[in-house]
Amino acid sequence: MLRLDSLSKQYKTGDLALTNISLEIPNGQVMALIGPSGAGKSTLIRCINRLVEPTSGAVYLNDLELSSLNQSNLRKARRRMGMIFQEYALVERLTVMENVLSGRLWYVGFWRSYFRKFPQSDIDEAFRLLERVGLDHMCDKRADELSGGQRQRVGICRALIQDPELLLVDEPTASLDPKTSRQIMRLICELCAERKLSAIINIHDVMLAQMFAQRIVGLQLGEIVYDGPPNGMTPAVLTQIYGEEDWEKTIENVDDDDVLDDEEILTNDA
Amino acid sequence: MAVSTKDGLKVWQRRDRNKQLSIWAGYFVAITIFMVCWQYMSGKTIWMFVWDAPRQGVDIVSRMVPPKWEYANVIWGTVWDTINIATLGTIMAIILAVPTAFCAARNTTPSVRFVRPIALFIIVSSRSINSLIWALILVAILGPGMFAGVIAIGLRSIGFCAKLLYEAIEEIDPGQVEAVEATGASGIQTLAYGIVPQILPAFAGISVFRWDINIRESTVLGYVGAGGIGIHLSGSIDNLAWTQVSVILIVIIATVVISEWVSAKVRHAII
C-alpha cells in the first residue's frame, strides 16, 4: 500500500507544484492520474521515489517512510518501485538486454554490473519478461534501433525486473500512436493484475484512463479535484479538472468503445 | 522587434529606430578601428621586402628541389619518436582529463562550489600555455629528451580533452540518467550505465582528434630539445640545407595525412 500524507512541493522558482496531497493506494489498484499540463502529475510521482525532493509531507510505502531515508536506504526503497517514462528513457546506446538488466542494478555489485556479469537467474527473468512482451528476439538490438512501442515494452521490462511492489508510470502513451497506446496500457494493466502490483499512471488521455484504470484522480494546479471511479467522469468533473470545453463527445466515445473491440486489438497484436 | 502604427496599419520591422542606429554606429566604430590599425601596420612595413617576396619565395623553393631523398634514412628514427611522443602524451592527457572533466561538469561534479573551480582552473591553465612553451619549461626542469616532450604534450592536452569532454557530459539526456537512478542504482552504477554510454562517442572522437593534433604539435618540439623530428628541422634550416628541409616537410605532411586517415577511421568505427 502506498500512502501520501499532505505532500507538498514548491520549486526554487517559487512555483507551488503540489499542495497538501493526501492519497491512499491499496495493493493491486491501478490508479490513473489525470490533469492538464502543469498540474503537477509528473512532480507527484517523482516525489514518491524522490527523483524530486518533496518540500513537506510524508510518503509511506507499506510502513516505510520514504521522504526521510538516507541515500542507501532510498536506493533500497527505489528498488521496490518500478518507473516507466514518457520518452521511454532507455539508455539509447545500450542493447535491449542491457537496458532490461539495468533494472537489477540494486541487486548486483558495481564490478559485476560493470562487466555485465549478471546472475543467471536475472538473465532467465529478463528473457521471460522479454518473451512476455514479445521482444525476446530483439535482445541484442541497440535500444535506438527500436520503434516507440517496442522501446516502451523494454521500459516496462526494466521496471518489472526490479521485482517492484508499485509501478510509477509517467505518461506512458504520450509519444505513441493510438493503437500502440492501447496495447501498452493494456500490457501495463495485465502485468499489474498478474503480479498484483499497484500502479499510478499519469496520463492526459481521458478516454484511455477511463478504459483501463480502476480509479481516477484528477489533479488541477497541484490539488486533487476529483477522486473516484472511471464512470464518475461527468462533463462537470472534466470541466473542473481541465476547464470549460464541450466534454459531451469525450464521454460518449468512451461508452461506444465496447469490450469486443479491445479483444480484437489484442489478438491482432499477438 | 518593433511594431508601429502608420495610417492605421501595423508596420513590423525587425528592430526599432534606436536599435538600428546603434548597430550602424557599432559597424562604423569597428571599421574605423580596422582602418587605423591597417594604416599603422602599413607604415611600419618595409615594403621593399614585401615586393621582393615572390622572388625570394621562388628562390627558396628552387633551393629545396630536388629533395635530398637519402636524407630520409637519417630521420626515420625521429619520425617514430614524434609519433610516440604524440601517442604517449595523448594517453597521459586522457587518463588525467577524464576525472577532471567529471569534476568540471555541472551535473556530475562532487561540489559546484569547491571542486568545480579547481577543475576549471586546471583546464584553463593547461589550455592557455602552448605545448612549445610547456616543452621549453620542462626541458629546463627534466633535461632535454623525449620524456620532456611527452609531458609537454600531455599537459597541453589535458585542458583540451577535459573541456570538450565536460561539455559533452553537460549535454547528456538527463532522462536516461534519471531512469537508471530510479532502479535503485548507486552513484557509480548510474555513472557507468546512465552517463558513460552517452558520452562514449564524444570521448572517442575527442581522443583521436587530440592525437591527430598532437602529431602536428610534436613535430616542432625538437626545436627546444624535447625530442622528435623538430631537431633535424632546426638543424637543417640553420645549415641552410634546403634540400633536407623539403624532405622533412614531405615526411611531416605524409605523417599528418596518415594520422588524419587513422583518426577518421577510428571515429567512424566507434560512432
Side-chain angles (χ1 to χ4, degrees):
Chain A
M1 188 180 77
L2 180 78
R3 190 156 62 82
L4 311 186
D5 192 8
S6 56
L7 196 69
S8 294
K9 172 66 190 176
Q10 183 166 27
Y11 282 108
K12 277 197 191 114
T13 51
D15 297 324
L16 207 57
L18 297 172
T19 32
N20 272 325
I21 301 286
S22 293
L23 263 179
E24 213 168 280
I25 297 134
N27 287 338
Q29 186 181 66
V30 173
M31 186 199 96
L33 193 61
I34 64 170
S37 308
K41 306 192 293 291
S42 283
T43 306
L44 178 64
I45 67 166
R46 280 174 166 72
C47 278
I48 294 171
N49 65 359
R50 279 173 59 190
L51 287 174
V52 169
E53 290 288 341
T55 315
S56 66
V59 179
Y60 296 90
L61 181 59
N62 294 329
D63 287 324
L64 182 68
E65 207 284 301
L66 301 179
S67 56
S68 60
L69 293 177
N70 64 19
Q71 272 301 315
S72 103
N73 284 330
L74 173 64
R75 289 206 305 273
K76 204 161 152 186
R78 276 179 178 166
R79 193 281 291 161
R80 295 163 61 193
M81 299 177 281
M83 192 158 176
I84 296 168
F85 296 83
Q86 171 178 356
E87 301 278 0
Y88 329 119
L90 301 180
V91 182
E92 298 282 313
R93 293 179 52 83
L94 295 183
T95 61
V96 166
M97 191 47 131
E98 285 173 309
N99 268 295
V100 175
L101 286 173
S102 69
R104 298 298 290 181
L105 283 176
W106 180 83
Y107 295 87
V108 300
F110 171 71
W111 290 110
R112 286 194 83 168
S113 67
Y114 184 78
F115 290 111
R116 313 297 196 253
K117 295 280 180 214
F118 286 86
Q120 187 58 40
S121 56
D122 289 359
I123 294 166
D124 291 342
E125 176 66 5
F127 274 119
R128 251 199 307 280
L129 283 165
L130 283 171
E131 202 180 317
R132 174 68 183 80
V133 303
L135 286 178
D136 48 331
H137 58 290
M138 295 283 217
C139 71
D140 266 338
K141 282 251 196 292
R142 237 169 66 171
D144 51 9
E145 295 175 59
L146 270 53
S147 70
Q150 291 171 331
R151 287 183 201 204
Q152 196 56 290
R153 283 158 209 254
V154 176
I156 292 170
C157 292
R158 174 174 64 187
L160 288 176
I161 204 169
Q162 286 178 227
D163 195 17
E165 298 155 36
L166 168 74
L167 284 184
L168 303 171
V169 191
D170 191 14
E171 302 278 9
T173 62
S175 316
L176 301 173
D177 66 59
K179 181 180 170 193
T180 316
S181 295
R182 280 162 175 71
Q183 292 168 348
I184 290 291
M185 281 300 287
R186 182 172 302 108
L187 186 62
I188 292 173
C189 294
E190 281 173 6
L191 287 164
C192 283
E194 278 170 28
R195 294 166 174 249
K196 303 197 171 39
L197 299 176
S198 35
I200 301 181
I201 305 181
N202 279 357
I203 191 156
H204 57 218
D205 187 327
V206 179
M207 255 197 275
L208 278 181
Q210 285 176 288
M211 274 166 71
F212 290 104
Q214 298 150 18
R215 172 183 172 195
I216 292 185
V217 169
L219 213 56
Q220 210 241 345
L221 292 175
E223 285 177 79
I224 294 176
V225 292
Y226 176 82
D227 184 353
N231 55 23
M233 302 291 295
T234 59
V237 168
L238 285 169
T239 302
Q240 202 185 357
I241 299 171
Y242 289 97
E244 204 68 53
E245 186 46 75
D246 178 13
W247 298 110
E248 291 296 338
K249 282 279 191 305
T250 313
I251 311 282
E252 228 171 275
N253 282 350
V254 173
D255 292 338
D256 290 347
D257 221 329
D258 59 305
V259 185
L260 248 174
D261 244 14
D262 293 342
E263 292 298 327
E264 200 181 357
I265 292 170
L266 185 64
T267 40
N268 284 347
D269 180 30
Chain B
M1 278 189 295
V3 178
S4 56
T5 321
K6 210 181 205 175
D7 304 333
L9 289 172
K10 275 188 171 176
V11 180
W12 177 85
Q13 282 166 314
R14 187 172 170 204
R15 303 189 182 94
D16 61 32
R17 189 159 152 266
N18 288 343
K19 215 169 196 177
Q20 191 68 46
L21 281 175
S22 63
I23 286 171
W24 280 117
Y27 273 115
F28 181 75
V29 170
I31 291 170
T32 311
I33 291 173
F34 179 78
M35 286 169 74
V36 169
C37 293
W38 188 269
Q39 199 197 9
Y40 179 79
M41 282 195 309
S42 161
K44 294 273 168 185
T45 307
I46 303 169
W47 286 101
M48 207 179 70
F49 286 173
V50 177
W51 302 133
D52 196 29
R55 209 176 55 80
Q56 296 290 350
V58 170
D59 186 43
I60 282 193
V61 172
S62 72
R63 287 192 226 185
M64 278 180 159
V65 286
K68 190 177 160 196
W69 293 114
E70 36 321 342
Y71 185 64
N73 294 324
V74 183
I75 60 174
W76 285 131
T78 50
V79 172
W80 181 238
D81 286 352
T82 305
I83 295 170
N84 282 335
I85 291 171
T87 310
L88 292 174
T90 310
I91 290 170
M92 171 191 146
I94 290 168
I95 290 170
L96 294 172
V98 169
T100 313
F102 277 105
C103 289
R106 214 169 263 282
N107 48 352
T108 53
T109 183
S111 152
V112 176
R113 196 167 295 169
F114 300 107
V115 180
R116 188 164 185 265
I118 296 172
L120 290 179
F121 178 73
I122 293 173
I123 292 171
V124 168
S125 48
S126 151
R127 273 163 57 81
S128 53
I129 301 174
N130 190 284
S131 46
L132 206 59
I133 298 170
W134 276 121
L136 211 58
I137 298 168
L138 286 162
V139 166
I141 298 170
L142 299 167
M146 273 179 70
F147 185 60
V150 171
I151 306 285
I153 289 288
L155 288 177
R156 168 65 181 86
S157 307
I158 291 172
F160 179 93
C161 296
K163 183 173 170 67
L164 291 181
L165 197 58
Y166 99 71
E167 280 171 0
I169 295 171
E170 285 185 346
E171 279 167 20
I172 57 172
D173 168 18
Q176 299 178 31
V177 181
E178 203 178 40
V180 177
E181 262 177 14
T183 64
S186 66
I188 190 160
Q189 283 176 324
T190 309
L191 196 76
Y193 270 75
I195 299 175
V196 168
Q198 292 196 59
I199 60 166
L200 217 48
F203 173 77
I206 293 163
S207 306
V208 288
F209 184 34
R210 188 63 221 185
W211 175 73
D212 195 19
I213 295 172
N214 283 345
I215 289 209
R216 268 165 273 176
E217 296 219 327
S218 54
T219 55
V220 292
L221 290 179
Y223 258 92
V224 295
I229 198 171
I231 188 143
H232 290 303
L233 191 62
S234 86
S236 301
I237 291 177
D238 286 349
N239 293 327
L240 304 176
W242 295 107
T243 50
Q244 293 181 16
V245 173
S246 59
V247 173
I248 293 170
L249 292 182
I250 288 167
V251 168
I252 289 176
I253 290 170
T255 315
V256 169
V257 167
I258 291 169
S259 77
E260 211 146 297
W261 179 78
V262 169
S263 69
K265 282 277 163 205
V266 171
R267 235 174 301 173
H268 188 76
I270 293 176
I271 298 165

